[in-house]
Amino acid sequence: QEDETMRKPPRSADDHLVSAKMIFVTYFSVGLMHTFASYFGFFWVLLDYGFNMGDLFGAGLGFREDWSDLTEERKDYFQNDLCPKNEKFMAKGLDCQQSFSDYRQEALSKAQAAFFIAIIWGQIANIFIRKTFSESILNIRRLTNNTYLLNTLIFELCLTMALVYIPGLNKVFLMESLDAEYLFCTIWYIPWLIMYDEVRKIFVRADPEGAVAWLTNF
């Protein structure tokens, strides 16, 4: 039973702190979901700014720099290659020099903010789903029985919003305030993450000694 955890004997002194099963869960299941969701938010913002993923290969060097700070090679690339491909920017009728640099900086800052928020949402969801190994987290008692944790998560969310939305402070962390439409692309996967773990727990409750329990319990 979940509530009998503290009555169980401790692990062997020879057990590794980081086990193969922990690595599997961290990097090949939940970790993959977090990674995909974070990059999804990042590239969604860039795509909305007119930057197609295929056009971004090789664009990283100098992407955030002002026009005057670029080398001649990078100026030629941004002005004559990347800029004309961005139909959304070209529709504005602006120049492909400093105006395009400003546009890239804004797009990248918002994309990084989306990436950051997606990571925070994912870690908060992960905290809740890992509170129990087999019992459903949808049990309200499990969600609210740790007031210290809840207060800490509220503080974390407030700090996250401050880093993203307070003018000046967000610039320090190379981020830009996110529009409401972008927030959805940072949170859409949370229900899927919870659903995945609820299904996992159904299998664990049905067969506590089975393969799912063995692979996902660390």
Side-chain angles (χ1 to χ4, degrees):
Q1 296 294 325
E2 202 83 48
D3 292 324
E4 295 178 349
T5 300
M6 296 304 293
R7 298 191 185 98
K8 296 178 181 178
R11 300 181 187 183
S12 168
D14 296 327
D15 284 353
H16 295 290
L17 178 62
V18 179
S19 65
K21 286 185 287 186
M22 179 186 290
I23 293 175
F24 173 80
V25 173
T26 303
Y27 292 102
F28 295 101
S29 57
V30 175
L32 282 178
M33 297 180 198
H34 290 332
T35 301
F36 175 80
S38 300
Y39 278 103
F40 177 88
F42 182 84
F43 285 109
W44 179 276
V45 174
L46 290 178
L47 182 63
D48 193 60
Y49 269 76
F51 294 102
N52 295 316
M53 188 180 299
D55 296 334
L56 290 174
F57 287 103
L61 188 62
F63 197 88
R64 188 187 290 280
E65 293 182 17
D66 288 332
W67 176 257
S68 59
D69 295 328
L70 294 170
T71 65
E72 292 303 318
E73 179 183 1
R74 298 310 288 174
K75 285 181 178 180
D76 179 67
Y77 169 76
F78 286 121
Q79 182 176 12
N80 300 316
D81 189 354
L82 189 62
C83 183
K85 293 179 181 178
N86 193 314
E87 296 179 1
K88 194 163 187 177
F89 177 80
M90 296 300 291
K92 296 177 179 292
L94 301 174
D95 68 85
C96 284
Q97 297 183 1
Q98 184 57 46
S99 295
F100 188 53
S101 293
D102 295 338
Y103 189 75
R104 294 197 309 273
Q105 291 169 15
E106 180 181 319
L108 182 58
S109 294
K110 286 185 180 289
Q112 290 180 170
F115 186 93
F116 174 65
I117 292 179
I119 289 177
I120 299 299
W121 281 126
Q123 291 306 313
I124 289 175
N126 193 48
I127 287 172
F128 280 112
I129 65 175
R130 298 307 302 180
K131 284 188 71 177
T132 62
F133 169 61
S134 60
E135 184 179 336
S136 173
I137 197 59
L138 301 180
N139 180 331
I140 192 64
R141 179 175 64 87
R142 290 294 183 191
L143 286 173
T144 61
N145 63 352
N146 189 333
T147 55
Y148 292 104
L149 175 62
L150 293 176
N151 291 335
T152 300
L153 295 181
I154 291 172
F155 173 78
E156 180 181 10
L157 281 175
C158 291
L159 179 59
T160 300
M161 294 300 107
L163 293 177
V164 173
Y165 287 100
I166 293 181
L169 182 60
N170 53 12
K171 298 294 185 183
V172 174
F173 294 92
L174 303 179
M175 292 188 290
E176 190 88 24
S177 298
L178 280 184
D179 302 329
E181 62 186 282
Y182 292 142
L183 287 177
F184 172 76
C185 70
T186 69
I187 199 173
W188 63 271
Y189 79 106
I190 300 303
W192 291 99
L193 178 61
I194 295 174
M195 186 185 304
Y196 157 80
D197 204 61
E198 287 298 308
V199 171
R200 181 192 69 81
K201 288 171 181 175
I202 289 174
F203 281 99
V204 172
R205 290 196 297 271
D207 188 3
E209 303 299 327
V212 174
W214 184 85
L215 283 171
T216 61
N217 180 25
F218 58 85

